[in-house]
């Protein structure tokens, strides 16, 4: 945008600004930025941005790609191996060779070109250093890579022959922006996109590489907040390449992501057919962590949420812990469905299976919520609650015995340290009912914690339950006391009846 400035003939220091052009340019810029962001009437499309340093510095490895870079943020990395340009070109070849007749690189780029400004508006940074050809080339290659791995498309023609060339009618701009990159017509003989059954196992992604490679791709493409491209780009390439397909890619990708979450026992939520499309793939993951059944609307708005206690502190004061499995017909559909049975004083927490990706998933979902305040903050509320509940080795040991936590890490102290650091650098207001869905639960737990009768009863049970002989003795003494009371009652009744006679 250029300001038109002219020196005034009367005053050499005065300037004349074309306010009309300036205002129109600003209005156009604002319209493009907010066209695809929520305005209260439509669902919010999340912005893709770098994670804040205060959050990233706790464990930056959880936010950086280790195997493949998607999108513009990590293209300048010193690790050139994660660009995966050869793999992305192979995926481009696979998509084009299986696409509808007449689909070429030129047609794909022409389809993406009108949406360039829209695609750029999805990012917090505008990437002005990337010209149009480089930016569109990146979107095309990354979209094809994602479709190749997770699209589960139905090919409309057989796999390409060994000497078949990709039908290109225009060159693909190179990553450097100048020279062209020619896609060689080599057969995809390593099983990267042929002969795979994506529904058979979630251990292998749609690309059907080895399981280790598939795990890396899943982590980098699905879980990382910075490593994303707008979903509409994937949808455009799919619609162009497979124009006869009735199944949009979001359904195939959603099925795959859902199967991962179900295998990990994190969520069994299914998206409605009328659900709006996600903004990106991490947003899709976030949508599958549905709004929990527990509602903050039941909380007492006039009372603040006091500090949450550790699991051992609650246990000592008479709060019980119980795990529940994730089930579509059960009491919990995802790990966020934490409930409290006040009558029995039992906190029911869905079992959390901790593996190598648990912290990556939770941290990046929280980062997505932090970067996009319009999104619900249920994952942040859950992580804040769990980080206080399981912050010592004794807490983790207790919750493991109750089945609330299941892990295969070195020891309970290692798990506790990871929990205690989980929410460092995260901004969260526990007193805001709009963000803390566990507000009512925390208030009820505080009441149970401060109940003196419950505390005394819990101390008695914990003190005497450790020695079985003490328990037997207490039971015998209680039985003897009961017998003495009964005998005294009968003696009084006999005396009264004798006196009446």
């Amino acid at each position: 945008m250029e300001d038109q400035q002219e020196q005034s003939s009367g005053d050499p220091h005065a300037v004349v600004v074309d306010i009309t052009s300036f205002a129109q340019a600003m209005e156009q810029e604002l319209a493009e930025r907010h066209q695809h962001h929520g305005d209260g009437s439509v669902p919010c499309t999340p912005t893709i941005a770098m994670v804040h340093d205060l959050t990233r510095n706790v464990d930056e490895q959880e936010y950086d790609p280790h195997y493949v870079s998607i999108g513009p943020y990590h293209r300048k990395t010193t690790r050139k191996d994660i660009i995966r340009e050869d793999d992305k070109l192979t995926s481009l070849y696979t998509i084009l060779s299986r696409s509808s007749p007449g689909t070429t690189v030129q047609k794909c780029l022409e389809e993406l070109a009108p949406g360039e400004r829209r695609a750029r508006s999805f990012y917090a940074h505008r990437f002005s250093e990337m010209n149009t050809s480089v930016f569109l080339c990146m979107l095309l290659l990354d979209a094809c890579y994602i479709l190749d791995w997770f699209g589960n498309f139905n090919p409309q023609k057989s796999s390409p022959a060994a000497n078949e060339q990709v039908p290109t009618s225009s060159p693909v701009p190179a990553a450097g922006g100048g020279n062209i990159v020619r896609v060689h017509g080599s057969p995809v003989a390593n099983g990267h996109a042929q002969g795979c059954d994506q529904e058979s196992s979630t251990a292998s992604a749609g690309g059907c590489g080895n399981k280790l490679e598939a795990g890396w791709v899943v982590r980098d493409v699905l879980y990382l907040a910075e490593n994303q491209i707008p979903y509409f780009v994937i949808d455009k390439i799919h619609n162009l390449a497979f124009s006869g397909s009735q199944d949009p890619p979001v359904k195939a990708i959603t099925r795959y992501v859902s199967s991962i979450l179900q295998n990990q026992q994190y969520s069994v939520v299914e998206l409605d057919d009328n659900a709006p499309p996600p903004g990106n793939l991490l947003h899709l993951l976030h949508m599958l962590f549905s709004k929990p059944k527990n509602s903050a609307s039941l909380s007492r708005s006039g009372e603040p949420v006091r500090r949450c206690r550790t699991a051992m502190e609650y246990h000592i004061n008479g709060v019980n812990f119980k795990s529940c499995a994730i089930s579509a017909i059960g009491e919990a559909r995802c790990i966020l469905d934490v409930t409290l049975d006040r009558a029995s004083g039992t906190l029911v927490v869905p079992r959390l299976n901790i593996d190598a990706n648990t912290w990556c998933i939770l941290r990046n979902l929280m980062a997505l919520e932090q970067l996009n305040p319009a999104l619900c903050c249920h994952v942040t509320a859950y992580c804040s609650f769990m980080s206080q509940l399981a912050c010592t080795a004794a807490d983790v040991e207790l919750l493991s015995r109750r089945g609330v936590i299941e892990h295969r890490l070195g020891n309970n102290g290692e798990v506790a340290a990871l929990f205690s650091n989980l929410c460092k650098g995260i901004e969260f207001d526990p007193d805001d009912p709009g963000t803390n869905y566990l507000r009512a639960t925390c208030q009820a737990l505080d009441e149970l914690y401060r109940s003196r009768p419950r505390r005394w009863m819990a101390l008695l049970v914990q003190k005497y339950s450790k020695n079985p002989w003490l328990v037997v003795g207490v039971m015998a003494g209680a039985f003897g006391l009961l017998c003495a009371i009964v005998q005294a009652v009968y003696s009084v009744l006999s005396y009264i009846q004798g006196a009446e006679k």
Side-chain angles (χ1 to χ4, degrees), residues 458-471:
L459 289 174
L460 287 174
V461 170
Q462 292 167 17
K463 180 178 180 180
Y464 292 107
S465 63
K466 296 179 181 179
N467 190 332
W469 293 111
L470 285 177
V471 176

Side-chain angles (χ1 to χ4, degrees), residues 265-266 289-290 292 308 326 334-339 348-354 358-359 362 365-366 369 377-390 399 404-405 419 422-423 428 435-439 442:
Q265 282 291 289
Y266 287 171
F289 283 83
S290 68
C308 289
I326 304 296
C334 71
I335 59 174
L336 307 185
D337 286 323
V338 178
T339 57
V348 182
V349 185
R351 183 184 300 109
L352 178 63
N353 298 310
I354 297 176
T358 300
W359 312 109
L362 295 179
L365 286 174
M366 283 195 294
E369 294 177 349
C377 295
H378 298 323
V379 176
T380 302
Y382 169 80
C383 291
S384 177
F385 181 75
M386 291 297 296
S387 67
Q388 297 176 77
L389 198 67
L399 295 175
V404 173
I405 292 176
F419 267 117
L422 182 59
C423 292
F428 177 69
T435 58
N436 187 10
Y437 77 98
L438 289 170
R439 190 170 188 270
C442 293

Side-chain angles (χ1 to χ4, degrees), residues 216-417:
W216 293 337
V217 173
V218 166
R219 175 197 179 275
D220 288 357
V221 175
L222 298 182
Y223 301 157
L224 302 188
E226 302 170 351
N227 214 41
Q228 301 291 331
I229 60 172
Y231 171 77
F232 86 89
V233 174
I234 304 171
D235 193 49
K236 274 183 175 292
I237 297 301
H238 178 273
N239 292 339
L240 176 65
F242 308 103
S243 56
S245 174
Q246 299 298 319
D247 194 15
V250 68
K251 289 188 176 181
I253 297 174
T254 300
R255 284 194 297 267
Y256 182 77
V257 176
S258 297
S259 66
I260 293 177
L261 296 180
Q262 290 174 16
N263 278 3
Q264 293 176 311
Q265 282 291 289
Y266 287 171
S267 174
V268 293
V269 174
E270 295 183 359
L271 293 184
D272 188 86
D273 291 339
N274 298 322
N280 56 66
L281 296 187
L282 180 64
H283 185 210
L284 171 62
L285 192 74
H286 187 269
M287 293 167 67
L288 292 172
F289 283 83
S290 68
K291 184 175 181 179
K293 300 175 183 178
N294 196 351
S295 175
S297 62
L298 301 177
S299 63
R300 297 182 298 278
S301 57
E303 299 182 14
V305 176
R306 296 184 175 90
R307 180 180 67 88
C308 289
R309 312 288 172 168
T310 67
M312 282 301 298
E313 288 177 310
Y314 285 131
H315 174 65
I316 291 173
N317 287 271
V319 177
N320 302 313
F321 292 91
K322 176 186 175 183
S323 69
C324 63
I326 304 296
S327 172
I329 59 175
E331 53 186 323
R333 295 171 52 205
C334 71
I335 59 174
L336 307 185
D337 286 323
V338 178
T339 57
L340 176 66
D341 184 353
R342 296 190 61 172
S344 63
T346 301
L347 185 67
V348 182
V349 185
R351 183 184 300 109
L352 178 63
N353 298 310
I354 297 176
D355 59 23
N357 285 323
T358 300
W359 312 109
C360 180
I361 294 173
L362 295 179
R363 287 183 187 277
N364 281 276
L365 286 174
M366 283 195 294
L368 180 72
E369 294 177 349
Q370 293 283 294
L371 295 167
N372 299 275
L375 291 179
C376 63
C377 295
H378 298 323
V379 176
T380 302
Y382 169 80
C383 291
S384 177
F385 181 75
M386 291 297 296
S387 67
Q388 297 176 77
L389 198 67
C391 60
T392 70
D395 300 324
V396 175
E397 195 274 334
L398 170 64
L399 295 175
S400 296
R401 287 204 317 266
R402 297 291 189 269
V404 173
I405 292 176
E406 183 174 327
H407 72 89
R408 295 179 180 85
L409 301 185
N411 53 64
N412 293 329
E414 182 181 348
V415 179

Side-chain angles (χ1 to χ4, degrees), residues 91-207:
S91 295
L92 173 62
Y93 169 78
T94 302
I95 296 298
L96 292 180
S97 61
R98 292 187 172 187
S99 63
S100 304
T103 304
T104 63
V105 172
Q106 179 176 343
K107 288 191 66 175
C108 291
L109 293 175
E110 288 174 350
E111 181 72 15
L112 292 178
E116 179 193 358
R117 297 180 71 89
R118 178 186 176 190
R120 288 181 183 270
S121 71
F122 276 67
Y123 294 95
H125 185 68
R126 302 312 295 262
F127 301 103
S128 57
E129 71 278 6
M130 297 179 65
N131 60 36
T132 296
S133 62
V134 174
F135 190 77
L136 294 181
C137 176
M138 175 202 69
L139 293 180
L140 175 60
L141 291 176
D142 288 352
C144 288
Y145 186 82
I146 293 171
L147 282 173
D148 189 17
W149 275 92
F150 305 107
N152 194 24
F153 54 82
N154 296 317
Q156 297 187 6
K157 61 180 181 179
S158 59
S159 300
N163 58 354
E164 186 177 356
Q165 300 290 324
V166 175
T168 59
S169 56
S170 69
V172 183
N179 299 327
I180 64 172
V181 177
R182 182 172 181 269
V183 183
H184 299 284
S186 58
V188 187
N190 61 355
H192 183 60
Q194 301 179 21
C196 65
D197 182 6
Q198 295 181 14
E199 304 296 331
S200 62
S201 171
T202 58
S204 296

Side-chain angles (χ1 to χ4, degrees), residues 482-492:
L482 179 62
C483 291
I485 292 173
V486 172
Q487 184 179 7
V489 170
Y490 273 102
S491 297
V492 171

